[in-house]
Amino acid sequence: MSSTGITPVPFGRRLKRFMADRPLIPLVILLVILVVILQILRPGIVNERWIANTIKFAIPLAILAGCQTMTMLTGGIDLSVGTVATMSAFIMATQVVKQDPAVAFLLAMMPAVLIGLVNGIGVGVFRVHPLIMTLGTSLIGTGCLQVYQRTVIASGAKIPDFLAWLGTGVTYGFPNALLLFLPLAALIVFTLARTGFGRLLYAIGDNERATRLSGVQYWQVITALYVTSSVLAGITGLLYIGLIKAPSLSLAEPLVLPSVAAAVIGGTSIFGGRGGYTGTIIGALILTVLTTLLTILQMPEGARRILFGLIVLFVTAAYLRIVEER
Amino acid sequence: MSHFLRRQGWVVGLFALLIVLFIATRIIQPAYGSNDFGSLARAVLPYAFAVAAQTVVVIAGGIDLSVAAMMALTSVTAASMMNGASEEYALFVVPFVLAMGFALGALNGLLIVVTRVPDIVVTLAMLFVLQGAALLVLDAPGGGIAEWLKALISGTVPIPGLPDAIDAWVPKALLVLIVCLCIIWIPLRRSRLGLSLYAIGSSELAAFRSGVPVKRTRIIAYALSGLLAAFGGLALTMSTGIGAPIPGPYLLASVAAVVLGGVALGGGKGGLLGPIVAVFVLRLVRTDLTLLAIDPNVTAIIEGAIMVAVVMFGAFITMRGRQ
């Protein structure tokens, strides 16, 4: 699996060191290569509008991948983000017909908080594996959404103008969604790198036992983490409905697998303790460009999923080799 | 010895729960008869195979997240190969699909052993891959199946010398399930390989030091899981007549039934009987909810909540055991 093992040892080792120390540089290079390939395949496709469009579609993915990054830092994963985003988007679109937008917003965020809380308690207190736990809550959430859908089927849905402006609008060549994303991304990066909470996430992922023995209330950190992750997913749902403009019961589901892949590509270890959000953002951009590329090559959805699976497997195996080397 | 008793006690308790549920079903719906039992057995069939697939891996100390995707892939493969083909062609399709499941399962195990990436990540990646492959085979539910395969699980088995009233309670689907599982499980359990499975699940290091080929056993465990999942995929196609590329909630159901069946998620403990009885329990709860005229969507929520609760309970017990 490790392609670096074939190259001569000194160079290979130096390359590994380099990859381990500065994971962002190879990622940016990969992104540039992908854009160049795109430009070669379809000359002239790369222009201002294309870039704005790519960023617009990468932002929801990047926020969801942020959820994965934070949970993966503790050695977990959050597969309920797709359902949570869909729920909040769907509830927002249907409630805003009758309610005040602020009330609709609060209603839309409620399931997100609830699911995050259940996830957190399941993982933090009962110590269920996060994967199973979040899969279970997403199943329950989808069921609730189906029941809810039948109660609002008569009233119809509409997309609030504000969300449509935020999701699709472009001002001076910059997508409006950046107004939401830039502060959010800055906050996540700051939280992970500079606050106590962020350090606790790294600590738990690195050595959970030691962290607990040094007096950290494990379940409180985990519960806070999963609630945060769910709320972020809920906000993504609102942004995504403004972008897609068609509420459905499987709106954000297709983003779940790519969000895991984006975090893994961005250098966050799925075993916890290593990684950061900057890499994840570039990972999300890479995946968005890759999706465009695959669409141009007319690759079917199935092949895309296979590719994402292989990427996750390959990158994880490669990172494992790099870590072992040190 | 006391441990053995406790383990059997768990299964006996489950059986008691199952009987209580049956009585409850009869109270809710006095007309509940052999026909309904037949359809329960048919509904259980794919779940039971999914659970068996998960059980083998969990006993060996791992987890297989790709069970549901594997079932989807084998199901669509069988359905698309048999679509419009002759009845005899199915005789070739069935072993082919089973072999495919076995090989893909072995690939799972091989990747875990070779890359040394944890099983949960490898099988998650394989979940993506298999799901994608299923979509490539059929991008929408469709395909067909040979009539004799459909007939294999519908109706009952006439047993000579027994009155029809009893005959009616032996649906073919149940018999197929029992025969398939016995053919695989009993020889396995009695063999050296079965012992090795329990050994690596119990303590990998201890097993390695006592000369158990850990890597080979692990690969075989995943291969068997793939084989059983392929059985599940076939059962899915047999009961619906088509193949669907998007898997049902079999993954969560399989983990929940494994936990409910008394197999520790850490590995090395439990048998196959408990999880299979647990599947019947979970399905019967669903039947009861339907009989109570509860909205099917609400049923899905309750079912999901029960499964999550069971998994939480199982994790809690495991944690207590460790302390």
Side-chain angles (χ1 to χ4, degrees), chain A residues 1 122 125-129 131-133 135-136 139-140 143-144 146-147 150 257 270-271 300 302-303 305-306 309 313 317 320-321 324, chain B residues 65 111 114-118 120-122 125 128-129 131-133 135-136 251-252 255 295 297 301 304-305 308 311-312 315-316 319:
Chain A
M1 290 302 289
V125 180
F126 289 92
R127 319 302 302 273
V128 183
H129 193 282
L131 218 150
I132 305 288
M133 192 65 213
L135 202 64
L139 204 67
I140 299 175
C144 291
Q146 268 162 1
V147 173
R150 293 169 54 166
L257 304 189
I270 210 160
F271 319 116
R305 288 199 192 189
I306 293 181
L313 187 61
L320 210 64
R321 294 290 174 283
E324 273 173 5
Chain B
L65 301 178
L111 284 174
V114 171
T115 63
R116 276 172 293 154
V117 175
I120 210 151
V121 181
V122 170
F128 298 172
V129 171
Q131 234 174 45
L135 277 172
L136 283 185
L251 171 58
L252 186 65
V255 176
D295 179 348
N297 289 321
I301 300 174
V308 168
V311 175
M312 274 165 106
F316 189 66
M319 184 173 66

Short mmCIF file of all heavy atoms in Angstrom, two decimals, chain A residues 1 122 125-129 131-133 135-136 139-140 143-144 146-147 150 257 270-271 300 302-303 305-306 309 313 317 320-321 324, chain B residues 65 111 114-118 120-122 125 128-129 131-133 135-136 251-252 255 295 297 301 304-305 308 311-312 315-316 319:
data_model
loop_
_atom_site.label_atom_id
_atom_site.label_comp_id
_atom_site.label_asym_id
_atom_site.label_seq_id
_atom_site.Cartn_x
_atom_site.Cartn_y
_atom_site.Cartn_z
N MET A 1 0.82 -1.19 0.00
CA MET A 1 0.00 0.00 0.00
C MET A 1 0.87 1.27 0.00
O MET A 1 0.50 2.28 -0.54
CB MET A 1 -0.89 0.05 1.24
CG MET A 1 -2.00 -0.98 1.26
SD MET A 1 -3.12 -0.89 -0.14
CE MET A 1 -4.02 0.62 0.22
N GLY A 122 -24.54 8.90 24.77
CA GLY A 122 -24.27 7.51 24.39
C GLY A 122 -22.78 7.23 24.33
O GLY A 122 -22.31 6.20 24.82
N VAL A 125 -21.08 8.67 28.19
CA VAL A 125 -21.47 8.01 29.44
C VAL A 125 -21.52 6.50 29.26
O VAL A 125 -20.94 5.75 30.04
CB VAL A 125 -22.84 8.54 29.92
CG1 VAL A 125 -23.24 7.85 31.21
CG2 VAL A 125 -22.77 10.05 30.12
N PHE A 126 -22.21 6.06 28.19
CA PHE A 126 -22.39 4.61 28.02
C PHE A 126 -21.26 3.97 27.24
O PHE A 126 -21.19 2.75 27.13
CB PHE A 126 -23.73 4.33 27.35
CG PHE A 126 -24.90 4.59 28.23
CD1 PHE A 126 -25.52 5.83 28.23
CD2 PHE A 126 -25.38 3.62 29.08
CE1 PHE A 126 -26.59 6.08 29.05
CE2 PHE A 126 -26.45 3.87 29.91
CZ PHE A 126 -27.06 5.10 29.89
N ARG A 127 -20.39 4.77 26.68
CA ARG A 127 -19.22 4.28 25.95
C ARG A 127 -19.57 3.38 24.78
O ARG A 127 -18.91 2.38 24.52
CB ARG A 127 -18.26 3.53 26.88
CG ARG A 127 -18.08 4.16 28.23
CD ARG A 127 -17.58 5.57 28.13
NE ARG A 127 -16.33 5.68 27.42
CZ ARG A 127 -15.15 5.56 28.01
NH1 ARG A 127 -15.08 5.33 29.27
NH2 ARG A 127 -14.07 5.68 27.31
N VAL A 128 -20.64 3.75 24.04
CA VAL A 128 -20.94 3.05 22.80
C VAL A 128 -19.94 3.55 21.75
O VAL A 128 -19.52 4.70 21.81
CB VAL A 128 -22.37 3.37 22.32
CG1 VAL A 128 -22.72 2.60 21.07
CG2 VAL A 128 -23.36 3.08 23.41
N HIS A 129 -19.58 2.68 20.82
CA HIS A 129 -18.68 3.16 19.78
C HIS A 129 -19.38 4.27 18.99
O HIS A 129 -20.53 4.11 18.59
CB HIS A 129 -18.27 2.04 18.83
CG HIS A 129 -17.13 2.46 17.97
ND1 HIS A 129 -17.30 3.27 16.87
CD2 HIS A 129 -15.81 2.26 18.08
CE1 HIS A 129 -16.12 3.51 16.35
NE2 HIS A 129 -15.21 2.90 17.05
N LEU A 131 -19.36 5.34 16.07
CA LEU A 131 -19.89 5.00 14.76
C LEU A 131 -21.28 4.39 14.87
O LEU A 131 -22.22 4.79 14.19
CB LEU A 131 -18.94 3.98 14.14
CG LEU A 131 -18.70 4.13 12.66
CD1 LEU A 131 -17.33 3.64 12.34
CD2 LEU A 131 -19.71 3.37 11.90
N ILE A 132 -21.42 3.42 15.76
CA ILE A 132 -22.70 2.74 15.95
C ILE A 132 -23.72 3.72 16.51
O ILE A 132 -24.86 3.79 16.07
CB ILE A 132 -22.51 1.55 16.92
CG1 ILE A 132 -21.41 0.61 16.44
CG2 ILE A 132 -23.81 0.82 17.13
CD1 ILE A 132 -21.78 -0.20 15.27
N MET A 133 -23.27 4.50 17.49
CA MET A 133 -24.18 5.43 18.16
C MET A 133 -24.75 6.45 17.17
O MET A 133 -25.96 6.66 17.10
CB MET A 133 -23.40 6.15 19.27
CG MET A 133 -24.26 6.92 20.22
SD MET A 133 -25.33 5.84 21.15
CE MET A 133 -26.74 6.90 21.34
N LEU A 135 -24.81 6.32 13.95
CA LEU A 135 -25.61 5.64 12.93
C LEU A 135 -27.02 5.40 13.46
O LEU A 135 -28.02 5.63 12.75
CB LEU A 135 -24.96 4.30 12.59
CG LEU A 135 -25.29 3.67 11.26
CD1 LEU A 135 -24.79 4.55 10.15
CD2 LEU A 135 -24.68 2.30 11.17
N GLY A 136 -27.11 4.97 14.72
CA GLY A 136 -28.42 4.71 15.33
C GLY A 136 -29.25 5.97 15.43
O GLY A 136 -30.41 6.00 15.04
N LEU A 139 -30.61 7.02 12.18
CA LEU A 139 -31.75 6.19 11.77
C LEU A 139 -33.03 6.71 12.44
O LEU A 139 -34.08 6.88 11.80
CB LEU A 139 -31.49 4.74 12.20
CG LEU A 139 -32.22 3.67 11.43
CD1 LEU A 139 -31.73 3.63 10.01
CD2 LEU A 139 -32.03 2.33 12.10
N ILE A 140 -32.93 6.99 13.75
CA ILE A 140 -34.09 7.50 14.48
C ILE A 140 -34.50 8.86 13.92
O ILE A 140 -35.68 9.14 13.70
CB ILE A 140 -33.78 7.61 15.99
CG1 ILE A 140 -33.44 6.23 16.54
CG2 ILE A 140 -34.94 8.21 16.74
CD1 ILE A 140 -33.00 6.26 17.98
N GLY A 143 -36.39 8.57 10.76
CA GLY A 143 -37.76 8.14 11.05
C GLY A 143 -38.62 9.30 11.51
O GLY A 143 -39.73 9.50 11.02
N CYS A 144 -38.07 10.11 12.43
CA CYS A 144 -38.82 11.27 12.94
C CYS A 144 -39.16 12.22 11.79
O CYS A 144 -40.26 12.76 11.71
CB CYS A 144 -38.01 12.02 13.99
SG CYS A 144 -37.79 11.11 15.50
N GLN A 146 -39.58 11.54 8.69
CA GLN A 146 -40.64 10.99 7.84
C GLN A 146 -42.01 11.21 8.47
O GLN A 146 -42.97 11.55 7.77
CB GLN A 146 -40.41 9.50 7.60
CG GLN A 146 -39.60 9.27 6.33
CD GLN A 146 -38.99 7.91 6.28
OE1 GLN A 146 -39.17 7.10 7.18
NE2 GLN A 146 -38.24 7.65 5.24
N VAL A 147 -42.07 11.03 9.79
CA VAL A 147 -43.34 11.27 10.48
C VAL A 147 -43.69 12.75 10.37
O VAL A 147 -44.83 13.12 10.06
CB VAL A 147 -43.23 10.85 11.95
CG1 VAL A 147 -44.48 11.25 12.71
CG2 VAL A 147 -43.01 9.36 12.05
N ARG A 150 -45.21 14.10 7.07
CA ARG A 150 -46.62 13.87 6.78
C ARG A 150 -47.51 14.90 7.45
O ARG A 150 -48.63 15.11 7.02
CB ARG A 150 -47.00 12.46 7.20
CG ARG A 150 -46.28 11.45 6.32
CD ARG A 150 -46.39 10.07 6.81
NE ARG A 150 -47.76 9.69 7.02
CZ ARG A 150 -48.14 8.44 7.19
NH1 ARG A 150 -47.24 7.49 7.17
NH2 ARG A 150 -49.38 8.14 7.39
N LEU A 257 -20.36 10.72 3.41
CA LEU A 257 -19.13 9.99 3.09
C LEU A 257 -18.02 10.96 2.67
O LEU A 257 -16.90 10.85 3.16
CB LEU A 257 -19.38 8.96 1.99
CG LEU A 257 -20.46 7.91 2.23
CD1 LEU A 257 -20.40 6.85 1.15
CD2 LEU A 257 -20.31 7.29 3.58
N ILE A 270 -7.88 9.19 11.91
CA ILE A 270 -9.16 8.63 12.33
C ILE A 270 -9.03 7.96 13.70
O ILE A 270 -10.00 7.64 14.35
CB ILE A 270 -9.68 7.66 11.24
CG1 ILE A 270 -11.20 7.62 11.22
CG2 ILE A 270 -9.11 6.28 11.41
CD1 ILE A 270 -11.78 7.11 9.93
N PHE A 271 -7.80 7.78 14.17
CA PHE A 271 -7.58 7.18 15.49
C PHE A 271 -7.51 8.23 16.59
O PHE A 271 -7.40 7.90 17.75
CB PHE A 271 -6.29 6.36 15.52
CG PHE A 271 -6.08 5.56 14.29
CD1 PHE A 271 -5.02 5.81 13.45
CD2 PHE A 271 -6.98 4.57 13.96
CE1 PHE A 271 -4.84 5.08 12.30
CE2 PHE A 271 -6.81 3.84 12.81
CZ PHE A 271 -5.74 4.09 11.98
N PRO A 300 -19.91 7.39 -13.05
CA PRO A 300 -21.18 7.28 -12.33
C PRO A 300 -20.99 7.40 -10.83
O PRO A 300 -19.87 7.29 -10.31
CB PRO A 300 -21.67 5.88 -12.71
CG PRO A 300 -20.48 5.15 -13.15
CD PRO A 300 -19.53 6.15 -13.71
N GLY A 302 -21.68 5.42 -8.46
CA GLY A 302 -21.10 4.24 -7.82
C GLY A 302 -19.59 4.29 -7.82
O GLY A 302 -18.95 4.06 -6.80
N ALA A 303 -19.00 4.63 -8.97
CA ALA A 303 -17.55 4.69 -9.08
C ALA A 303 -17.00 5.76 -8.15
O ALA A 303 -15.93 5.59 -7.55
CB ALA A 303 -17.15 4.99 -10.52
N ARG A 305 -18.23 6.65 -5.25
CA ARG A 305 -18.21 6.11 -3.88
C ARG A 305 -17.04 5.16 -3.69
O ARG A 305 -16.38 5.18 -2.66
CB ARG A 305 -19.50 5.36 -3.60
CG ARG A 305 -20.65 6.29 -3.43
CD ARG A 305 -21.78 5.61 -2.72
NE ARG A 305 -22.96 6.45 -2.85
CZ ARG A 305 -24.08 6.23 -2.19
NH1 ARG A 305 -24.17 5.21 -1.38
NH2 ARG A 305 -25.10 7.03 -2.33
N ILE A 306 -16.80 4.31 -4.70
CA ILE A 306 -15.68 3.38 -4.62
C ILE A 306 -14.39 4.16 -4.41
O ILE A 306 -13.57 3.85 -3.55
CB ILE A 306 -15.59 2.51 -5.88
CG1 ILE A 306 -16.81 1.59 -5.96
CG2 ILE A 306 -14.31 1.69 -5.90
CD1 ILE A 306 -16.82 0.68 -7.15
N GLY A 309 -14.06 5.53 -0.94
CA GLY A 309 -13.69 4.46 -0.01
C GLY A 309 -12.22 4.13 -0.09
O GLY A 309 -11.53 4.01 0.92
N LEU A 313 -9.20 4.50 2.77
CA LEU A 313 -8.37 3.36 3.15
C LEU A 313 -6.89 3.64 2.90
O LEU A 313 -6.03 3.45 3.77
CB LEU A 313 -8.81 2.13 2.36
CG LEU A 313 -8.16 0.83 2.75
CD1 LEU A 313 -8.49 0.51 4.20
CD2 LEU A 313 -8.62 -0.29 1.86
N ALA A 317 -3.93 4.16 5.71
CA ALA A 317 -2.79 3.23 5.74
C ALA A 317 -1.49 3.99 5.60
O ALA A 317 -0.51 3.72 6.31
CB ALA A 317 -2.93 2.20 4.62
N LEU A 320 -0.61 5.77 8.78
CA LEU A 320 -0.16 4.79 9.77
C LEU A 320 1.33 4.51 9.59
O LEU A 320 2.09 4.45 10.54
CB LEU A 320 -0.98 3.52 9.62
CG LEU A 320 -1.19 2.71 10.87
CD1 LEU A 320 -2.00 3.52 11.86
CD2 LEU A 320 -1.91 1.42 10.54
N ARG A 321 1.74 4.36 8.32
CA ARG A 321 3.15 4.11 8.04
C ARG A 321 4.00 5.28 8.50
O ARG A 321 5.05 5.11 9.10
CB ARG A 321 3.36 3.91 6.53
CG ARG A 321 2.73 2.69 5.96
CD ARG A 321 3.44 1.43 6.44
NE ARG A 321 2.73 0.26 5.98
CZ ARG A 321 1.61 -0.18 6.53
NH1 ARG A 321 1.08 0.44 7.57
NH2 ARG A 321 1.01 -1.24 6.07
N GLU A 324 4.33 5.33 12.24
CA GLU A 324 5.17 4.24 12.73
C GLU A 324 6.65 4.54 12.53
O GLU A 324 7.49 4.12 13.31
CB GLU A 324 4.81 2.94 12.00
CG GLU A 324 3.67 2.21 12.67
CD GLU A 324 3.23 1.02 11.85
OE1 GLU A 324 3.88 0.73 10.83
OE2 GLU A 324 2.23 0.40 12.23
N LEU B 65 -18.38 -3.50 9.45
CA LEU B 65 -19.37 -2.47 9.12
C LEU B 65 -19.89 -2.63 7.70
O LEU B 65 -20.81 -1.95 7.30
CB LEU B 65 -18.73 -1.08 9.27
CG LEU B 65 -18.20 -0.75 10.65
CD1 LEU B 65 -17.56 0.61 10.64
CD2 LEU B 65 -19.30 -0.79 11.67
N LEU B 111 -7.04 -7.00 3.94
CA LEU B 111 -6.68 -5.58 4.06
C LEU B 111 -6.38 -5.25 5.52
O LEU B 111 -5.43 -4.50 5.81
CB LEU B 111 -7.81 -4.69 3.55
CG LEU B 111 -7.96 -4.61 2.04
CD1 LEU B 111 -9.19 -3.83 1.66
CD2 LEU B 111 -6.71 -3.96 1.44
N VAL B 114 -2.95 -6.94 6.30
CA VAL B 114 -1.80 -6.41 5.57
C VAL B 114 -1.53 -4.95 5.92
O VAL B 114 -0.41 -4.56 6.22
CB VAL B 114 -2.00 -6.57 4.05
CG1 VAL B 114 -0.93 -5.83 3.28
CG2 VAL B 114 -1.99 -8.03 3.68
N THR B 115 -2.59 -4.11 5.89
CA THR B 115 -2.35 -2.68 6.11
C THR B 115 -2.24 -2.34 7.59
O THR B 115 -1.78 -1.27 7.94
CB THR B 115 -3.49 -1.83 5.53
OG1 THR B 115 -4.70 -2.16 6.21
CG2 THR B 115 -3.68 -2.07 4.06
N ARG B 116 -2.70 -3.24 8.45
CA ARG B 116 -2.70 -3.04 9.90
C ARG B 116 -3.54 -1.83 10.31
O ARG B 116 -3.39 -1.28 11.39
CB ARG B 116 -1.28 -2.90 10.44
CG ARG B 116 -0.64 -4.26 10.69
CD ARG B 116 0.81 -4.13 11.03
NE ARG B 116 1.56 -3.65 9.89
CZ ARG B 116 2.68 -2.98 9.96
NH1 ARG B 116 3.19 -2.69 11.13
NH2 ARG B 116 3.32 -2.60 8.88
N VAL B 117 -4.41 -1.39 9.40
CA VAL B 117 -5.39 -0.36 9.75
C VAL B 117 -6.48 -1.06 10.57
O VAL B 117 -6.82 -2.20 10.27
CB VAL B 117 -5.99 0.25 8.47
CG1 VAL B 117 -7.10 1.23 8.79
CG2 VAL B 117 -4.91 0.94 7.66
N PRO B 118 -7.01 -0.42 11.61
CA PRO B 118 -8.02 -1.08 12.44
C PRO B 118 -9.22 -1.53 11.62
O PRO B 118 -9.59 -0.88 10.63
CB PRO B 118 -8.43 0.01 13.43
CG PRO B 118 -7.29 0.93 13.49
CD PRO B 118 -6.63 0.88 12.17
N ILE B 120 -12.30 -1.37 12.03
CA ILE B 120 -13.44 -0.48 11.90
C ILE B 120 -13.25 0.47 10.72
O ILE B 120 -14.18 0.80 9.99
CB ILE B 120 -13.67 0.25 13.25
CG1 ILE B 120 -15.13 0.56 13.43
CG2 ILE B 120 -12.85 1.47 13.40
CD1 ILE B 120 -15.56 0.60 14.85
N VAL B 121 -12.01 0.89 10.49
CA VAL B 121 -11.73 1.81 9.37
C VAL B 121 -11.77 1.05 8.05
O VAL B 121 -12.36 1.53 7.07
CB VAL B 121 -10.37 2.50 9.57
CG1 VAL B 121 -10.11 3.46 8.42
CG2 VAL B 121 -10.32 3.21 10.88
N VAL B 122 -11.15 -0.12 8.04
CA VAL B 122 -11.11 -0.89 6.78
C VAL B 122 -12.52 -1.24 6.34
O VAL B 122 -12.89 -1.05 5.17
CB VAL B 122 -10.28 -2.18 6.96
CG1 VAL B 122 -10.44 -3.08 5.76
CG2 VAL B 122 -8.82 -1.83 7.18
N ALA B 125 -14.33 1.76 5.03
CA ALA B 125 -13.92 2.06 3.65
C ALA B 125 -14.55 1.06 2.68
O ALA B 125 -15.02 1.43 1.60
CB ALA B 125 -12.40 2.04 3.53
N PHE B 128 -18.09 1.91 1.81
CA PHE B 128 -18.19 2.86 0.69
C PHE B 128 -18.01 2.11 -0.63
O PHE B 128 -18.78 2.26 -1.57
CB PHE B 128 -17.11 3.93 0.76
CG PHE B 128 -17.15 4.81 1.98
CD1 PHE B 128 -16.13 5.71 2.22
CD2 PHE B 128 -18.19 4.74 2.88
CE1 PHE B 128 -16.15 6.53 3.33
CE2 PHE B 128 -18.21 5.55 4.00
CZ PHE B 128 -17.18 6.44 4.23
N VAL B 129 -16.95 1.31 -0.68
CA VAL B 129 -16.59 0.65 -1.94
C VAL B 129 -17.69 -0.30 -2.40
O VAL B 129 -18.12 -0.26 -3.57
CB VAL B 129 -15.26 -0.12 -1.77
CG1 VAL B 129 -14.98 -0.98 -2.98
CG2 VAL B 129 -14.11 0.84 -1.52
N GLN B 131 -20.83 -0.34 -1.53
CA GLN B 131 -22.04 0.40 -1.88
C GLN B 131 -21.91 0.97 -3.29
O GLN B 131 -22.85 0.91 -4.08
CB GLN B 131 -22.24 1.53 -0.89
CG GLN B 131 -23.59 1.52 -0.26
CD GLN B 131 -23.68 2.59 0.81
OE1 GLN B 131 -23.25 3.72 0.60
NE2 GLN B 131 -24.21 2.22 1.95
N GLY B 132 -20.73 1.52 -3.57
CA GLY B 132 -20.49 2.05 -4.91
C GLY B 132 -20.61 0.95 -5.96
O GLY B 132 -21.24 1.13 -7.00
N ALA B 133 -20.03 -0.21 -5.65
CA ALA B 133 -20.09 -1.33 -6.60
C ALA B 133 -21.53 -1.75 -6.83
O ALA B 133 -21.94 -2.04 -7.97
CB ALA B 133 -19.26 -2.49 -6.08
N LEU B 135 -24.12 0.11 -6.67
CA LEU B 135 -24.76 1.12 -7.53
C LEU B 135 -24.32 0.96 -8.98
O LEU B 135 -25.06 1.28 -9.90
CB LEU B 135 -24.41 2.52 -7.05
CG LEU B 135 -25.26 3.06 -5.91
CD1 LEU B 135 -24.69 4.36 -5.38
CD2 LEU B 135 -26.68 3.27 -6.38
N LEU B 136 -23.09 0.46 -9.18
CA LEU B 136 -22.62 0.25 -10.54
C LEU B 136 -23.35 -0.93 -11.19
O LEU B 136 -23.63 -0.91 -12.39
CB LEU B 136 -21.11 -0.02 -10.55
CG LEU B 136 -20.19 1.17 -10.36
CD1 LEU B 136 -18.75 0.74 -10.52
CD2 LEU B 136 -20.52 2.27 -11.35
N LEU B 251 -27.04 -3.06 9.13
CA LEU B 251 -25.82 -2.93 9.93
C LEU B 251 -26.15 -2.73 11.40
O LEU B 251 -25.70 -3.48 12.27
CB LEU B 251 -24.97 -1.77 9.40
CG LEU B 251 -23.79 -1.39 10.26
CD1 LEU B 251 -22.86 -2.56 10.45
CD2 LEU B 251 -23.06 -0.22 9.66
N LEU B 252 -26.97 -1.71 11.66
CA LEU B 252 -27.33 -1.42 13.04
C LEU B 252 -28.08 -2.60 13.65
O LEU B 252 -27.83 -3.00 14.79
CB LEU B 252 -28.17 -0.15 13.11
CG LEU B 252 -28.47 0.33 14.51
CD1 LEU B 252 -27.20 0.75 15.21
CD2 LEU B 252 -29.47 1.46 14.49
N VAL B 255 -25.69 -5.36 14.65
CA VAL B 255 -24.93 -5.09 15.88
C VAL B 255 -25.85 -5.20 17.10
O VAL B 255 -25.48 -5.80 18.11
CB VAL B 255 -24.27 -3.69 15.81
CG1 VAL B 255 -23.58 -3.37 17.12
CG2 VAL B 255 -23.28 -3.64 14.68
N ASP B 295 -48.41 3.83 13.09
CA ASP B 295 -47.86 4.32 11.83
C ASP B 295 -46.49 3.68 11.54
O ASP B 295 -45.63 3.66 12.40
CB ASP B 295 -47.72 5.84 11.98
CG ASP B 295 -47.13 6.51 10.77
OD1 ASP B 295 -46.62 5.80 9.90
OD2 ASP B 295 -47.19 7.74 10.72
N ASN B 297 -43.92 4.56 10.05
CA ASN B 297 -42.77 5.44 10.28
C ASN B 297 -42.44 5.56 11.76
O ASN B 297 -41.29 5.57 12.16
CB ASN B 297 -43.03 6.83 9.70
CG ASN B 297 -43.00 6.80 8.20
OD1 ASN B 297 -42.18 6.11 7.61
ND2 ASN B 297 -43.90 7.50 7.57
N ILE B 301 -39.09 4.48 14.10
CA ILE B 301 -38.44 5.26 15.17
C ILE B 301 -38.29 4.40 16.42
O ILE B 301 -37.22 4.33 17.02
CB ILE B 301 -39.27 6.51 15.52
CG1 ILE B 301 -39.41 7.41 14.29
CG2 ILE B 301 -38.64 7.28 16.67
CD1 ILE B 301 -40.33 8.58 14.52
N GLY B 304 -35.68 1.78 15.94
CA GLY B 304 -34.35 2.37 16.02
C GLY B 304 -33.98 2.67 17.46
O GLY B 304 -32.86 2.39 17.90
N ALA B 305 -34.95 3.22 18.21
CA ALA B 305 -34.68 3.56 19.61
C ALA B 305 -34.36 2.31 20.41
O ALA B 305 -33.44 2.31 21.24
CB ALA B 305 -35.88 4.29 20.20
N VAL B 308 -30.82 1.21 19.54
CA VAL B 308 -29.82 2.06 20.17
C VAL B 308 -29.74 1.76 21.66
O VAL B 308 -28.64 1.65 22.24
CB VAL B 308 -30.15 3.55 19.93
CG1 VAL B 308 -29.29 4.44 20.80
CG2 VAL B 308 -29.93 3.89 18.47
N VAL B 311 -27.84 -1.42 22.23
CA VAL B 311 -26.40 -1.24 22.05
C VAL B 311 -25.80 -0.48 23.22
O VAL B 311 -24.72 -0.81 23.72
CB VAL B 311 -26.12 -0.53 20.71
CG1 VAL B 311 -24.66 -0.24 20.56
CG2 VAL B 311 -26.60 -1.37 19.55
N MET B 312 -26.53 0.54 23.70
CA MET B 312 -26.03 1.31 24.85
C MET B 312 -25.90 0.40 26.06
O MET B 312 -24.91 0.43 26.79
CB MET B 312 -26.99 2.46 25.17
CG MET B 312 -26.72 3.72 24.37
SD MET B 312 -28.10 4.85 24.49
CE MET B 312 -27.47 6.07 25.54
N ALA B 315 -22.94 -1.88 25.69
CA ALA B 315 -21.68 -1.18 25.92
C ALA B 315 -21.47 -0.95 27.40
O ALA B 315 -20.36 -1.06 27.93
CB ALA B 315 -21.69 0.15 25.17
N PHE B 316 -22.57 -0.62 28.08
CA PHE B 316 -22.50 -0.37 29.52
C PHE B 316 -22.05 -1.61 30.26
O PHE B 316 -21.17 -1.56 31.13
CB PHE B 316 -23.89 0.07 30.00
CG PHE B 316 -23.92 0.57 31.40
CD1 PHE B 316 -23.26 1.74 31.74
CD2 PHE B 316 -24.60 -0.12 32.38
CE1 PHE B 316 -23.28 2.21 33.03
CE2 PHE B 316 -24.63 0.33 33.68
CZ PHE B 316 -23.97 1.50 34.00
N MET B 319 -18.44 -2.27 29.68
CA MET B 319 -17.61 -1.35 30.45
C MET B 319 -17.52 -1.81 31.90
O MET B 319 -16.45 -1.83 32.49
CB MET B 319 -18.23 0.04 30.38
CG MET B 319 -17.43 1.12 31.04
SD MET B 319 -18.15 2.72 30.70
CE MET B 319 -19.69 2.61 31.56
#
